[in-house]
Amino acid sequence: MIPKTHPRYASLKTRELIAKGATKGITSMHGLIAQGRGEAFDYMMGEKTSEFAEKSIAAAAALLLLAKNPVISVNGNAAALAPKGLVFLSKIINAPLEVNIFHPSKKRELRIKVHLEKFGAKTVLLPDKKYKIKYLQSNRKYTNSKGILKADVVFVPLEDGDRAEALIKNKKKVIAVDLNPMSRTARKATITIVDNITRAMPLLIKKIKEFKKSGDDTSKLKVILKSYDNSDVIKHSESLLSSFCHKKS
Ligand code: PTJ
């Protein structure tokens, strides 16, 4: 058991979730390495949500509420770290969850689906080899015709490489959650939330609830989106990283 007084309590609890995910066969072994990389960036950014991440979260909430066919893409890491939040998000914006994994495994896809259903998910779509998105070679190209294939906005929490770019080329808007502001995903996404998924999910849900409660009309949400500049968020997140390096030298 990790004592709550441990200075790295939150980080160690997150590690525990990923390790459990791997033991249950939800998260791939590679997912443990991805988590380690994320932890390093999180450490350098002070393990808290920056004001720039908060801006991205507000813009993401606006975009999800304005979307006609939003879809939440789930991989092995996201399923282990934030199942409750992902399921809740799918309910409040009325969007399906779609399993989409990089390291191919039919068994793992099914396990992720069952895992999300245990957390109350109503619709969990699985990729279908009949439907592919263009400009992508990896296993991530397979989609569901009721999900990512027809989506206008795809929520993509923590993943590798080139799918964000491919989704954009397929005329979709992409919301990424990625602790590495230098990653291809972070740079190519429409909106990049540079934050740990474990912190970003509750904040995103809170923002969506806030917008819904205040009855914000679409024009107000559109203003939020119009004034949002993703390259500025990336720039400031990188500055945060470099200021950490300067502090230590
Ligand atoms: O389940 P699969 O097969 O789809 O595989 C999923 C992983 C994550 C293993 C796969 O997509 C992968 O290899 O990803 P990468 O290339 O390691 O990229 C993951 C990105 O997520 C990196 O930029 C990490 O910094 C970032 N990251 C890791 N943990 C977190 C994170 N971002 C937000 N919150 C985290 N907890």
Side-chain angles (χ1 to χ4, degrees):
M1 203 190 79
I2 305 159
K4 281 208 166 133
T5 49
H6 194 290
R8 312 213 49 73
Y9 179 76
S11 176
L12 293 175
K13 283 303 273 184
T14 309
R15 229 182 239 193
E16 210 169 63
L17 286 175
I18 277 287
K20 268 195 195 144
T23 313
K24 285 187 195 159
I26 292 166
T27 308
S28 76
M29 285 302 153
H30 314 80
L32 301 174
I33 301 167
Q35 173 65 20
R37 179 150 50 156
E39 270 184 22
F41 285 109
D42 209 9
Y43 185 80
M44 289 167 83
M45 285 191 280
E47 292 172 332
K48 54 178 195 269
T49 305
S50 69
E51 61 177 290
F52 305 104
E54 277 174 22
K55 277 191 191 167
S56 310
I57 287 169
L63 184 58
L64 287 170
L65 287 171
L66 288 169
K68 285 197 175 68
N69 291 308
V71 175
I72 302 159
S73 179
V74 185
N75 64 19
N77 284 49
L81 293 179
K84 217 168 133 189
L86 293 166
V87 170
F88 197 80
L89 177 66
S90 107
K91 287 184 181 164
I92 52 167
I93 59 166
N94 195 22
L97 295 146
E98 180 167 334
V99 179
N100 181 283
I101 59 177
F102 180 76
H103 304 97
S105 161
K106 275 286 149 211
K107 267 193 194 157
R108 197 155 62 86
E109 283 172 7
L110 280 173
R111 283 198 201 109
I112 293 173
K113 180 176 159 76
V114 171
H115 177 65
L116 294 170
E117 283 166 351
K118 276 191 194 144
F119 281 87
K122 292 269 174 284
T123 313
V124 185
L125 304 171
L126 292 175
D128 183 337
K129 294 228 159 155
K130 281 204 298 270
Y131 303 104
K132 287 188 241 174
I133 59 160
K134 288 187 274 177
Y135 315 113
L136 196 59
Q137 303 306 317
S138 74
N139 188 56
R140 291 202 189 282
K141 64 178 178 268
Y142 300 118
T143 59
N144 189 292
S145 60
K146 294 189 186 123
I148 291 170
L149 192 71
K150 68 164 193 178
D152 55 345
V153 176
V154 189
F155 183 70
V156 175
L158 70 119
E159 70 173 43
D160 56 286
D162 50 0
R163 189 166 67 129
E165 189 174 10
L167 288 169
I168 301 266
K169 280 192 189 163
N170 279 273
K171 311 255 180 289
K172 297 170 195 304
K173 291 194 169 137
V174 175
I175 300 168
V177 183
D178 194 333
L179 278 161
N180 177 6
M182 294 168 291
S183 76
R184 278 166 68 95
T185 302
R187 288 177 177 281
K188 295 291 174 183
T190 317
I191 296 172
T192 309
I193 302 172
V194 183
D195 198 9
N196 199 311
I197 188 176
T198 55
R199 290 189 302 267
M201 284 311 295
L203 294 174
L204 178 63
I205 287 165
K206 192 170 158 217
K207 202 65 193 170
I208 290 173
K209 279 186 177 168
E210 214 177 281
F211 285 159
K212 280 184 132 185
K213 199 169 166 200
S214 65
D216 281 340
D217 55 23
T218 53
S219 56
K220 202 165 160 197
L221 298 176
K222 280 180 186 161
V223 170
I224 294 172
L225 275 182
K226 211 162 179 216
S227 64
Y228 177 77
D229 180 352
N230 205 49
S231 57
D232 193 52
V233 165
I234 298 287
K235 207 171 68 199
H236 279 97
S237 307
E238 285 175 355
S239 310
L240 211 59
L241 288 178
S242 76
S243 66
F244 172 88
C245 298
H246 287 114
K247 247 191 278 165
K248 294 281 162 186
S249 61

